[in-house]
Amino acid sequence: MDVNAAVAAAAAIAGVLTGVIAMLAFRWSERDQKRPTRTSLHTDPVLPPGVDTVLSVLRSSAVVLDEADAVVKASSAAYALGLVRGGKLSVEPMLLMARDTRRDGEIRQVELDLPRRGTGRGEALAVSARVAPLGSRLVLLLVEDLTEARRIEAVRRDFVANVSHELKTPVGALSLLSEAVMDAADEPDAVQRFAGRMQIEATRLTNLVQELIDLSRVQNDDPLEDAEPVRVDELVAEAIDRCRHQAGTKQITMAAGGTADLHVWGNRGQLAAALGNLVENAVNYSPARTRVGIAARRLTATGGDMIEVAVTDQGIGITEKDKERIFERFYRVDPARSRATGGTGLGLAIVKHVAASHGGEVTVWSAEGQGSTFTLRLPEAGAARDRAQQHPADDGLDDEPGRSSSSHPHTSPYEPLPAPEVLP
């Protein structure tokens, strides 16, 4: 009996010990699960409250570093710029700034030029980096991409320099001619000759100022605010009438043809100026006793039909190198001919901006010594109006997919018009 009691007591003690050990093991397991891991030490919960939300709405690329220079938090823009790689800040100057700020608590800012990674292009990525302490252990790095701003600033500087040069030429000529008139006051023939030159330079100056105003207007204004259906036939007739005198002087025949009664949707004044510039260029760069044709037709395209107006000449043509730049402001294929005809180098730039702001495009086909065909494509009135009503804030720059000038339907500038009608 005593033996059985002893066995029972031993079994009870063993059961109690097993239960205690199991309980301790369960508690130990729970504590291990709650203990922070190496990875969890560097996740979002270590950030001060609200910081994560603020970083998610910033336009700047944001990176938060801990005391070991490990990345605690990084925005998607920071990864896109290549600032963070393998959980580390990959830009050494920024890393040194972060260490200095962590040491003394001072805010630092610097502008850097970083190499573009994986693009194969030589230009650098311009950024502005600002480092500030975030709490007692963390450092916040904000990076702004300044590449586009610098490009725009360079364009602005070039534009100002070009405008200054273009204005200086006729103004200087007027000054010299006025002195010549004063010196030749007793010579009526010389005065008349110099006065005629002064009138030419004054006209050139007036045209340059007007085209600068037109370019500024088409860049800053929304043409669809005052949009209306515009008859293509009327635009063509107006462009021909604008160049009738120059064409008559050179015995150039202007012919219009194609599909009649087409309409585009946009600002009538800007569309007339764009088409007029194309026809004027065709006349100015064509030799005497040749032909300039204007043809219009409808093209079926995704998102709505397009109206295509092609202006074809039999002029000097454009080289492949010049084709890439002819729509730049103040760029001239033949500077001597442009100055002789009073060209400012802004006409095609205005055409490009008008086409883009109306949801279209302008392309060129050309062969040296044979001529050129400039094609203006614009959304048809109904399709463009429907798009404008559905997306009032959209300027239409991306409505029509890009087209290559090599796909132009005219294979020869000598056959530009179906069923041409020579206008009186």
Side-chain angles (χ1 to χ4, degrees):
M1 192 71 179
D2 292 339
V3 174
N4 290 336
V7 171
I13 293 173
V16 171
L17 290 176
T18 303
V20 171
I21 292 172
M23 183 182 300
L24 291 175
F26 178 75
R27 292 291 180 86
W28 186 267
S29 175
E30 278 190 336
R31 195 169 75 173
D32 278 349
Q33 290 179 4
K34 293 181 180 180
R35 181 181 300 168
T37 62
R38 180 187 298 269
T39 304
S40 67
L41 287 175
H42 303 293
T43 54
D44 293 349
V46 302
L47 294 175
V51 172
D52 193 12
T53 303
V54 173
L55 296 182
S56 65
V57 299
L58 286 178
R59 298 181 61 182
S60 306
S61 302
V63 180
V64 179
L65 304 176
D66 63 9
E67 66 275 10
D69 292 332
V71 175
V72 176
K73 179 74 176 180
S75 64
S76 57
Y79 286 100
L81 288 179
L83 303 180
V84 178
R85 293 179 179 274
K88 294 288 186 179
L89 186 63
S90 61
V91 183
E92 188 65 23
M94 295 182 187
L95 187 59
L96 296 177
M97 285 175 56
R99 291 170 180 170
D100 293 339
T101 296
R102 186 184 302 112
R103 184 180 63 254
D104 55 26
E106 292 185 4
I107 298 175
R108 289 175 169 81
Q109 184 169 353
V110 68
E111 291 189 3
L112 300 170
D113 291 332
L114 306 179
R116 291 182 182 268
R117 298 180 183 273
T119 62
R121 294 182 293 178
E123 66 268 23
L125 188 69
V127 299
S128 173
R130 185 178 179 87
V131 181
L134 185 64
S136 58
R137 298 185 302 110
L138 304 180
V139 172
L140 173 63
L141 171 67
L142 296 178
V143 180
E144 288 281 352
D145 186 355
L146 304 179
T147 308
E148 184 65 14
R150 286 193 179 179
R151 187 191 68 80
I152 293 174
E153 178 63 20
V155 170
R156 186 193 65 80
R157 286 197 305 268
D158 291 343
F159 180 71
V160 171
N162 286 329
V163 169
S164 301
H165 174 74
E166 295 294 334
L167 289 175
K168 183 179 179 181
T169 301
V171 170
L174 286 172
S175 176
L176 292 175
L177 288 169
S178 64
E179 293 178 6
V181 169
M182 293 178 63
D183 294 339
D186 298 332
E187 302 177 29
D189 292 341
V191 170
Q192 186 175 5
R193 185 172 67 255
F194 292 142
R197 291 289 306 278
M198 290 178 68
Q199 188 174 14
I200 293 174
E201 295 298 333
T203 300
R204 177 176 296 169
L205 182 60
T206 301
N207 292 339
L208 176 58
V209 172
Q210 184 58 51
E211 291 206 348
L212 286 171
I213 294 172
D214 292 342
L215 181 60
S216 176
R217 183 179 294 117
V218 300
Q219 286 180 316
N220 297 326
D221 294 350
D222 181 3
L224 301 183
E225 286 185 359
D226 302 320
E228 59 179 333
V230 182
R231 285 178 58 90
V232 176
D233 294 340
E234 294 178 358
L235 295 177
V236 172
E238 186 174 336
I240 290 177
D241 188 62
R242 167 179 167 179
C243 304
R244 193 180 302 278
H245 176 70
Q246 298 98 305
T249 301
K250 301 172 67 175
Q251 299 180 8
I252 293 176
T253 301
M254 291 190 293
T259 307
D261 199 28
L262 299 176
H263 293 76
V264 294
W265 180 259
N267 184 293
R268 178 185 176 81
Q270 292 190 15
L271 293 174
L275 186 57
N277 285 347
L278 291 180
V279 175
E280 186 175 15
N281 266 13
V283 171
N284 288 338
Y285 284 90
S286 294
R289 293 178 295 278
T290 55
R291 183 182 180 212
V292 171
I294 306 99
R297 66 172 184 167
R298 178 186 291 109
L299 293 177
T300 301
T302 304
D305 291 347
M306 303 290 289
I307 302 301
E308 177 182 276
V309 183
V311 179
T312 304
D313 64 63
Q314 297 173 337
I316 61 176
I318 305 170
T319 65
E320 289 295 329
K321 174 179 67 69
D322 290 324
K323 280 183 191 178
E324 301 176 358
R325 302 192 58 190
I326 55 175
F327 294 103
E328 295 179 12
R329 291 168 291 189
F330 298 110
Y331 185 79
R332 297 180 175 91
V333 174
D334 187 348
R337 180 184 291 262
S338 294
R339 295 195 181 278
T341 59
T344 62
L346 292 174
L348 291 180
I350 292 175
V351 175
K352 178 182 176 181
H353 282 289
V354 170
S357 62
H358 282 76
E361 64 173 351
V362 59
T363 59
V364 59
W365 174 95
S366 185
E368 290 186 78
Q370 297 183 26
S372 305
T373 297
F374 285 84
T375 303
L376 182 62
R377 296 186 183 93
L378 299 167
E380 192 174 18
R385 181 174 56 232
D386 294 341
R387 273 203 297 267
Q389 291 173 351
Q390 293 173 4
H391 307 286
D394 187 2
D395 61 3
L397 294 181
D398 301 320
D399 287 341
E400 172 68 6
R403 299 167 184 258
S404 170
S405 59
S406 61
S407 62
H408 196 282
H410 300 316
T411 58
S412 169
Y414 291 95
E415 300 175 351
L417 301 174
E421 175 190 356
V422 179
L423 298 184

